[in-house]
Amino acid sequence: MRQAIRQYTARFSGLFLTKQTVPLWTGLARFMLPIMAALLLLWAALASAQVWEYRTGQPSPVGTVHVSRPPITWRVVLGGREPVEREWCFVVAGGAAGGLAAPDTVQQAALTVANRYRRLLGMNPFRLDARLSAVATAHSRYLHTNRRTGHFQWPGTSGFIGVLPRTRREAFGYYGGASEGVSYGSRSVTAAITGLFDAPYHRVPFLQPGFVDFGVGRVGRHTTLEFGSPESGGTVIYPVDGQQNVPLSWDGIETPNPLRIHGRAASAKNTKRRGTREKVGYVITLFYFSPDRTPIQVTGAALATADGKPIPFFLNTPANDSELKNGALLIPQKPLRPATTYAVSVSAITALGQDISRAWRFTTEKAAPKRPKPKKRRGTRRR
């Protein structure tokens, strides 16, 4: 006995069925065929695609490279909420590097010099990061090739990677907070790092507490430094308490220039006549670091010799310097005296009312070391 089923008008995968009486097996076949076809199509799609799932708190290890055949579906799950999915295709360039280069002798030397300051500060040494070194090297090469300096790149120019430092770091797989220092004209990587550290705004990333990622690249006379930004906190002074052989002066070369608000930034006329900017005393700094970038308020500062003789200085704080939020600069108006002990005090509080005042002493070097004069046509710049 043949059974029959009544099936009403329906539409499924392009198949149109009209109201009619059909044998059971025929009806099942007509019903299952579109489903089987859809399953086959789904299987083929899954076989040619790869799904990557990333859950916050479970990042891939540093240096992991994911390779897949296109198309790729990226599935992101944030805090257990509904996932967000995107699908795209990409082509790996024929000249793409198979991996990041090992540090060369110049980069190793730069790390050694930078970590001397970390030891003086009593902090953890910098950790050389291959991604940041690749970013730094690529930017130094870009500046050298295009005869430029600074932090920016221009689309359409040779070696262009990204306009901003952050874009370039992300292109090499480094995400999160970071900062960049650029030097041009120094005769060696040691001189470049020393010059950047002596310049007070560029000194800040060297002073960060905690474990800090570090990258460096030098091409020609262009040196680029990249620093990670850890979430550690604390108040950091430099020179440190009890430090010996502190330099006597600073050449005033930095962009932006902290002397601009005191009318002492060198003009083009003065630079041409003297060959270099007018020197001031070695800059003394206090910075407060916190995960939430808490600003500070400086209520007072003093600088004197050990026997109490006041030393005139310029004071930069968040109240008068738009480049500062969490620090203070004491810039002696004239070079310091050799083999002399100085006493410093800074009174300051955070926006939350925490007292971060400090008082300390340091002693200068016996005599200013003789340094080769830079060629006038290739001046030193720090940005």
Side-chain angles (χ1 to χ4, degrees):
M1 180 177 180
R2 299 176 62 185
Q3 295 180 342
I5 60 172
R6 297 184 62 82
Q7 190 155 346
Y8 294 87
T9 302
R11 188 181 299 273
F12 185 85
S13 297
L15 179 64
F16 189 79
L17 302 176
T18 55
K19 178 180 178 182
Q20 58 183 315
T21 300
V22 296
L24 178 60
W25 66 270
T26 305
L28 290 174
R30 289 181 178 179
F31 180 75
M32 292 300 295
L33 280 175
I35 296 178
M36 293 176 65
L39 289 174
L40 286 172
L41 290 174
L42 178 61
W43 178 84
L46 291 176
S48 63
Q50 179 175 342
V51 178
W52 295 345
E53 181 168 324
Y54 174 87
R55 291 179 178 271
T56 54
Q58 299 176 347
S60 298
V62 173
T64 300
V65 178
H66 298 282
V67 180
S68 173
R69 296 178 180 176
I72 295 172
T73 300
W74 186 272
R75 185 170 185 265
V76 181
V77 183
L78 300 176
R81 298 185 178 182
E82 200 66 25
V84 178
E85 296 187 6
R86 294 291 184 271
E87 183 173 314
W88 72 98
C89 295
F90 65 88
V91 177
V92 178
L100 299 176
D104 58 27
T105 54
V106 172
Q107 291 169 326
Q108 292 285 10
L111 179 65
T112 299
V113 174
N115 276 333
R116 289 175 187 167
Y117 293 109
R118 299 291 287 181
R119 284 196 298 272
L120 272 174
L121 292 161
M123 293 182 172
N124 297 310
F126 285 131
R127 304 180 299 191
L128 195 61
D129 186 283
R131 295 164 298 175
L132 291 182
S133 289
V135 174
T137 301
H139 188 54
S140 291
R141 184 177 296 110
Y142 171 87
L143 298 176
H144 178 74
T145 301
N146 294 282
R147 298 184 178 182
R148 298 177 182 270
T149 188
H151 298 284
F152 302 102
Q153 295 185 3
W154 283 261
T157 52
S158 178
F160 173 79
I161 297 174
V163 174
L164 301 175
R166 179 177 179 178
T167 306
R168 299 192 293 271
R169 288 190 291 265
E170 291 179 353
F172 281 87
Y174 192 93
Y175 297 85
S179 58
E180 181 180 84
V182 174
S183 172
Y184 166 71
S186 298
R187 294 173 178 267
S188 67
V189 70
T190 297
I193 292 176
T194 301
L196 286 169
F197 186 88
D198 290 347
Y201 295 145
H202 288 76
R203 181 184 298 174
V204 178
F206 288 89
L207 308 180
Q208 297 177 104
F211 292 95
V212 182
D213 293 331
F214 178 77
V216 57
R218 181 174 172 87
V219 178
R221 292 198 175 191
H222 294 270
T223 302
T224 303
L225 305 183
E226 301 286 342
F227 304 85
S229 295
E231 297 297 318
S232 303
T235 302
V236 182
I237 57 173
Y238 194 87
V240 300
D241 189 23
Q243 184 172 333
Q244 303 289 317
N245 298 315
V246 173
L248 305 180
S249 62
W250 176 51
D251 58 18
I253 301 176
E254 186 171 27
T255 303
N257 196 312
L259 293 169
R260 71 194 183 285
I261 62 177
H262 308 292
R264 286 285 295 273
S267 65
K269 181 178 179 181
N270 289 337
T271 302
K272 184 176 180 179
R273 184 179 74 248
R274 296 170 183 254
T276 59
R277 290 168 168 81
E278 185 176 355
K279 289 185 177 182
V280 292
Y282 193 73
V283 184
I284 304 160
T285 55
L286 177 147
F287 281 93
Y288 175 73
F289 297 91
S290 62
D292 56 358
R293 307 296 189 267
T294 302
I296 69 169
Q297 178 184 359
V298 178
T299 57
L303 174 63
T305 58
D307 57 6
K309 182 180 179 181
I311 303 298
F313 63 93
F314 300 117
L315 179 63
N316 291 40
T317 72
N320 67 351
D321 190 339
S322 60
E323 297 294 328
L324 291 177
K325 180 180 178 182
N326 62 325
L329 314 179
L330 285 72
I331 310 175
Q333 294 182 13
K334 295 182 179 181
L336 301 175
R337 294 173 55 188
T340 302
T341 299
Y342 291 87
V344 190
S345 66
V346 177
S347 300
I349 58 173
T350 70
L352 301 178
Q354 179 185 353
D355 187 358
I356 56 170
S357 302
R358 295 289 187 274
W360 70 101
R361 295 188 175 203
F362 64 85
T363 302
T364 55
E365 60 193 355
K366 293 182 179 180
K370 294 182 179 180
R371 298 176 180 175
K373 294 181 179 180
K375 297 179 181 179
K376 293 182 180 180
R377 66 183 180 87
R378 304 190 72 171
T380 300
R381 301 178 186 176
R382 302 178 192 116
R383 295 179 179 269

